[in-house]
């Protein structure tokens, strides 16, 4: 059975960048290359949502919340899908997964992305 392994997550400040990878194993090239693959994310307490998709012919689609900041790509020879994330915002925090557009493949473990904000100054008068 096919297996998806996500990697590349981390903890970054707002405005930072990360590049996620999703490698498909136990799947031959001719099976993987025509598939529409997607990146999804799940924030704490929220449902899993679609972030971006890329077709076998490399047509890309993005959710409105990430358009202009994220770029999805693929390397069929490596059976790998990437997600370049720039100008990250705290609301991008979540576990990121990849899968086919119809969720047919078994879900991987995902990779955690944490984006921390600049904080807020608290002053306690003496």
């Amino acid at each position: 059975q096919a297996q998806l392994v996500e990697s590349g997550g981390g903890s970054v400040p707002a405005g930072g960048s990360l590049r996620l990878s999703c490698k498909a194993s136990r799947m031959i090239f001719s099976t993987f290359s025509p598939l529409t693959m997607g990146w999804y994310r799940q924030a704490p307490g929220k449902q899993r949502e679609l972030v971006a998709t890329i077709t076998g012919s490399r047509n890309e689609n993005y959710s409105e919340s990430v358009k202009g900041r994220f770029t999805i790509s693929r390397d069929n020879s490596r059976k790998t899908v990437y997600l370049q994330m720039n100008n990250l915002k705290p609301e991008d925090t979540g576990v990121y997964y990849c899968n086919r557009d119809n969720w047919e493949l078994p879900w991987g473990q995902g990779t955690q992305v944490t984006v921390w904000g600049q904080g807020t100054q608290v002053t306690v008068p003496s």
Side-chain angles (χ1 to χ4, degrees), residues 12 15 24 33 39 52 59-60 69 79 86 97 100 110 113 121:
V12 297
S33 58
W39 279 98
N59 291 318
E60 303 164 24
R69 300 187 296 121
K79 292 177 286 184
N86 298 327
Y97 304 87
R100 281 193 64 179
V113 172
Q121 178 69 43

Side-chain angles (χ1 to χ4, degrees), residues 33-101:
S33 58
L35 298 180
T36 294
M37 297 295 294
W39 279 98
Y40 304 83
R41 68 185 179 193
Q42 187 164 19
K46 294 188 176 181
Q47 289 188 331
R48 196 166 298 185
E49 63 172 349
L50 177 65
V51 174
T53 61
I54 184 166
T55 67
S57 54
R58 302 178 192 275
N59 291 318
E60 303 164 24
N61 277 291
Y62 300 91
S63 68
E64 285 299 319
S65 63
V66 306
K67 198 172 290 186
R69 300 187 296 121
F70 290 11
T71 303
I72 189 171
S73 61
R74 66 192 298 160
D75 183 340
N76 289 333
S77 67
R78 290 184 166 85
K79 292 177 286 184
T80 300
V81 182
Y82 303 98
L83 187 68
Q84 177 66 43
M85 306 188 296
N86 298 327
N87 191 22
L88 282 159
K89 303 177 180 180
E91 52 264 43
D92 294 319
T93 293
V95 180
Y96 283 68
Y97 304 87
C98 70
N99 208 322
R100 281 193 64 179
D101 55 340

Side-chain angles (χ1 to χ4, degrees), residues 10 32 34:
F32 176 82

